[in-house]
Amino acid sequence: MHCPRCDAATVAFSIPDDLRAHLPDDRPGAALCTRCLAVTPVDDPPTETPDFEPVSDAFPANDEAAVAFACLLALLDSLVLYRAELDAVAEYAETRGADVLRALERLDADESVEPHLDIDRRTRQLEQLI
Ligand SMILES: [Zn+2]
């Protein structure tokens, strides 16, 4: 599918149950835009974890952490609304070896993406939270 926001290519992925418990949408997967980083819920995601490298090399190397990081981007847009969820998803990624704040900083510095949200500002806010 293409991004409903900017029409660029997306990377679809499945969301494990224990991660989905923290997300506002209960669909089994989502698609991450390779350009604006918008995350759109999908009904029929692939079972294999995709390579997030085409999006940005800021993504954590661990598959589960990379999926959690993508979910975190979905929540980050509504940070105030999803404080507890963000905390849980960030912890999920961190227990799998990701440094969430560092990954966000790298993503913010990545010129290959044009985020629809202010990553730098959201990272500073998230820092207060987790
Ligand atoms: Zn997009």
Side-chain angles (χ1 to χ4, degrees):
M1 69 175 276
H2 286 262
C3 174
R5 189 183 283 261
C6 76
D7 210 36
T10 59
V11 173
F13 57 94
S14 300
I15 303 171
D17 290 344
D18 48 353
L19 196 53
R20 192 157 68 227
H22 305 297
L23 302 177
D25 195 289
D26 61 3
R27 272 173 279 184
L32 173 72
C33 178
T34 55
R35 184 201 288 154
C36 78
L37 306 178
V39 179
T40 311
V42 297
D43 290 316
D44 52 349
T47 47
E48 294 273 296
T49 302
D51 187 3
F52 288 97
E53 184 83 35
V55 182
S56 170
D57 60 12
F59 269 74
N62 176 281
D63 278 355
E64 289 178 316
V67 165
F69 188 67
C71 292
L72 188 106
L73 290 173
L75 296 171
L76 211 53
D77 205 18
S78 309
L79 184 130
V80 177
L81 206 57
Y82 299 123
R83 296 174 84 100
E85 290 82 355
L86 271 166
D87 191 37
V89 172
E91 194 186 309
Y92 182 102
E94 304 234 322
T95 56
R96 286 158 181 82
D99 182 337
V100 169
L101 294 174
R102 175 92 186 92
L104 283 168
E105 279 166 12
R106 289 184 56 200
L107 190 59
D108 185 47
D110 188 340
E111 290 180 358
S112 72
V113 291
E114 297 169 35
H116 70 93
L117 69 168
D118 186 338
I119 301 262
D120 182 49
R121 184 164 148 256
R122 293 305 190 188
T123 304
R124 300 283 79 85
Q125 291 172 322
L126 186 66
E127 211 168 14
Q128 310 295 313
L129 205 73
I130 60 177

